């Protein structure tokens, strides 16, 4: 796709922070499991660390490279997926309304989730810059008002 846009680099930090919080929770569970079966706790902890490192080092970099979007005068295109590719395109005219949501961590880094609501479905672009998302929302709202 020519002219496609990437997510901000801060998106990687959000993904890594969430994965780290999940890893901390898993380690607490493994610690509790150690009271009953130390061998099983060691195996699960080791496996969790290996999976965590793979996700942090490989998966998030690939995800960042593969998640793209493009907005034209008529359509919006979204590419997602590392292992299973998902290509979505829809006409701007099909959008009923646009919603922005932020978590506290996203707010700190000026990121948000942009949600396009259409009849029977909603499509999201996660970890998009808040200023870009507001501009997209404003443009789509202005185009709707002109019709």
């Amino acid at each position: 796709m020519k002219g496609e846009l990437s997510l901000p680099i801060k998106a990687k930090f959000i993904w890594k922070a969430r994965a780290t919080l999940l890893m901390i929770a898993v380690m607490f569970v493994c610690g509790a499991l150690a009271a009953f079966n130390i061998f099983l706790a060691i195996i699960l902890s080791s496996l969790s660390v290996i999976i965590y490192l793979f996700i942090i080092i490989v998966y998030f970099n690939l995800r960042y490279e593969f998640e793209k979007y493009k907005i034209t005068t008529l359509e919006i295109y979204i590419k997602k997926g590392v292992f299973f590719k998902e290509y979505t395109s829809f006409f701007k005219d099909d959008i009923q309304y646009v919603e922005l949501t932020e978590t506290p961590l996203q707010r700190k880094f000026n990121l948000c989730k942009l949600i396009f609501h259409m009849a029977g479905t909603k499509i999201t672009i996660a970890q998009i810059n808040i200023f870009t998302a507001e501009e997209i929302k404003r443009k789509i709202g202005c185009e709707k008002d002109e019709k």
Side-chain angles (χ1 to χ4, degrees):
M1 241 184 327
K2 194 173 188 179
E4 62 191 12
L5 302 170
S6 294
L7 299 175
I9 195 75
K10 296 175 192 174
K12 283 187 190 181
F13 179 79
I14 299 286
W15 297 332
K16 288 178 182 180
R18 288 178 179 167
T20 302
L21 290 173
L22 181 62
M23 184 64 182
I24 291 169
V26 167
M27 286 298 135
F28 273 114
V29 170
C30 288
L33 184 61
F36 300 104
N37 188 339
I38 189 74
F39 182 70
L40 185 60
I42 291 171
I43 290 173
L44 288 179
S45 297
S46 302
L47 186 60
S48 298
V49 168
I50 291 168
I51 292 171
Y52 172 75
L53 290 174
F54 172 78
I55 288 171
I56 293 290
I57 295 169
V58 177
Y59 179 76
F60 288 150
N61 290 323
L62 290 173
R63 181 177 177 188
Y64 179 77
E65 290 300 318
F66 292 133
E67 285 199 22
K68 309 272 187 210
Y69 65 96
K70 179 180 177 181
I71 299 173
T72 66
T73 55
L74 296 176
E75 289 184 274
I76 298 175
Y77 302 93
I78 301 171
K79 284 188 346 184
K80 293 182 184 180
V82 174
F83 303 114
F84 301 99
K85 304 289 185 194
E86 179 182 327
Y87 300 94
T88 306
S89 68
F90 52 95
F91 291 103
K92 287 182 180 178
D93 292 341
D94 295 340
I95 299 171
Q96 293 175 341
Y97 69 97
V98 179
E99 178 184 4
L100 300 176
T101 60
E102 294 176 293
T103 65
L105 191 57
Q106 287 174 321
R107 195 173 305 118
K108 181 173 174 41
F109 293 100
N110 293 322
L111 299 174
C112 69
K113 183 189 323 185
L114 182 64
I115 306 168
F116 301 101
H117 291 270
M118 294 168 278
T121 190
K122 57 184 174 181
I123 297 171
T124 64
I125 301 175
Q127 315 310 343
I128 189 170
N129 185 295
I130 185 73
F131 306 112
T132 305
E134 288 172 347
E135 179 70 17
I136 292 168
K137 183 177 179 178
R138 187 187 60 74
K139 281 183 181 178
I140 290 173
C142 289
E143 291 171 4
K144 294 278 185 197
D145 293 341
E146 292 173 2
K147 292 182 181 181

